[in-house]
């Protein structure tokens, strides 16, 4: 065997070894890539596929303000209420968080009536002719007034009547909106209930949903 043939065999053997190593290397890469894809698939399967989409969806329907509050969620809503007797429309915003609610409603005459319910006390106020007037009542006094003829806590939107609502998750929660304004002297509705006063002895504005001294 001459030197040329020996070199050729060495080159051929070397080439076969090199090719074999390349094939093994490619097989390892493919196996790693396939394993990675399978792991990625497993990770994706562990995640709720519609979680982000579901969180961004609005909650739309027809229910009472009391029922919306009872959802016990952080919500910001737009509200539309149609008065059943004369079909006047009241619109506004409604926020709920941790058993508290805040509504700001625009009445047909353009007056804005606001109401806060912190589960123990209810505060309601409006501005008439540049003057702010308000009334406060405990939930217990409101419930008591329902049993007495001629006395009632009048709300701009009755909390137990159905409204149309469009709500979304309230992510940037501002707890200060549940604090009653400090520049308003609130009339105590409890005094009216306990003394048995009738609406004829005080000024009542049913449009604004407030009782004024």
């Amino acid at each position: 065997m001459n030197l040329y043939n020996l070199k050729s065999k060495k080159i051929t053997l070397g080439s076969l070894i090199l090719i074999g190593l390349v094939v093994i290397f490619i097989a390892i890469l493919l196996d790693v890539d396939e394993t990675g894809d399978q792991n990625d698939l497993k990770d994706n399967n562990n995640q709720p596929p519609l979680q982000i989409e579901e969180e961004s969806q609005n909650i739309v329907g027809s229910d009472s303000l009391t029922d919306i509050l009872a959802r016990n969620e952080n919500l910001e809503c737009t509200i539309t209420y149609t008065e059943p007797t004369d079909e006047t429309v009241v619109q506004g915003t409604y926020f709920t968080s941790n058993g508290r609610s805040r509504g700001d409603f625009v009445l047909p005459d353009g007056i804005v009536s606001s109401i806060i319910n912190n589960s123990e006390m209810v505060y309601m106020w409006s501005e008439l002719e540049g003057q702010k007037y308000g009334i406060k009542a405990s939930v217990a006094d409101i419930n008591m007034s329902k049993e007495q003829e001629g006395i009632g806590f009048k709300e701009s939107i009755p909390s137990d009547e159905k409204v149309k609502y469009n709500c979304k998750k309230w992510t940037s929660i501002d707890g200060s909106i549940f604090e009653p304004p400090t520049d308003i002297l609130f009339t105590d509705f409890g005094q009216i209930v306990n003394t048995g006063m009738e609406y004829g002895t005080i000024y009542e504005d049913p449009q604004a949903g407030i009782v004024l001294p």
Side-chain angles (χ1 to χ4, degrees), residues 1-48:
M1 181 180 297
N2 58 35
L3 182 60
Y4 175 78
N5 290 335
L6 182 60
K7 288 182 178 181
S8 298
K9 288 182 179 181
K10 288 182 178 180
I11 293 173
T12 303
L13 181 60
S15 299
L16 291 175
I17 294 173
L18 180 60
I19 293 172
L21 291 174
V22 170
V23 171
I24 293 173
F25 181 72
I26 293 174
I28 292 174
L29 286 179
L30 291 175
D31 182 67
V32 170
D33 185 62
E34 182 178 356
T35 302
D37 290 341
Q38 290 176 351
N39 290 335
D40 289 342
L41 183 59
K42 290 179 181 179
D43 291 341
N44 290 334
N45 289 336
N46 290 333
Q47 297 296 328

Side-chain angles (χ1 to χ4, degrees), residues 85-137:
T85 55
D86 57 11
E87 295 189 348
T88 57
V89 177
V90 178
Q91 295 179 318
T93 58
Y94 189 65
F95 293 81
T96 65
S97 178
N98 294 326
R100 303 168 299 175
S101 66
R102 163 73 180 261
D104 297 283
F105 308 115
V106 180
L107 305 177
D109 54 8
I111 295 175
V112 176
S113 178
S114 301
I115 184 168
I116 290 174
N117 182 345
N118 64 12
S119 76
E120 294 182 357
M121 293 291 297
V122 176
Y123 299 85
M124 187 161 55
W125 69 95
S126 293
E127 183 172 335
L128 298 172
E129 299 179 352
Q131 296 292 322
K132 294 180 180 180
Y133 301 95
I135 185 169
K136 64 181 179 180

Side-chain angles (χ1 to χ4, degrees), residues 53-72:
E53 182 177 346
E54 288 178 355
E55 289 181 353
S56 64
Q57 288 180 349
N58 285 12
I59 305 170
V60 181
S62 177
D63 225 330
S64 70
L65 298 179
T66 298
D67 290 329
I68 297 174
L69 178 60
R71 295 176 66 95
N72 198 28

Side-chain angles (χ1 to χ4, degrees), residues 154-173:
K154 299 185 183 300
E155 303 162 294
S156 50
I157 296 182
S159 58
D160 56 351
E161 292 189 15
K162 285 192 173 183
V163 300
K164 292 181 179 179
Y165 62 84
N166 188 327
C167 303
K168 62 181 180 179
K169 298 293 184 181
W170 186 19
T171 54
S172 302
I173 299 174

Side-chain angles (χ1 to χ4, degrees), residues 167-200:
C167 303
K168 62 181 180 179
K169 298 293 184 181
W170 186 19
T171 54
S172 302
I173 299 174
D174 179 9
S176 65
I177 72 169
F178 301 114
E179 298 294 332
T182 56
D183 61 340
I184 298 177
L185 181 61
F186 289 90
T187 301
D188 191 346
F189 181 73
Q191 294 179 357
I192 301 173
V193 175
N194 294 330
T195 58
M197 292 174 61
E198 296 182 357
Y199 274 129

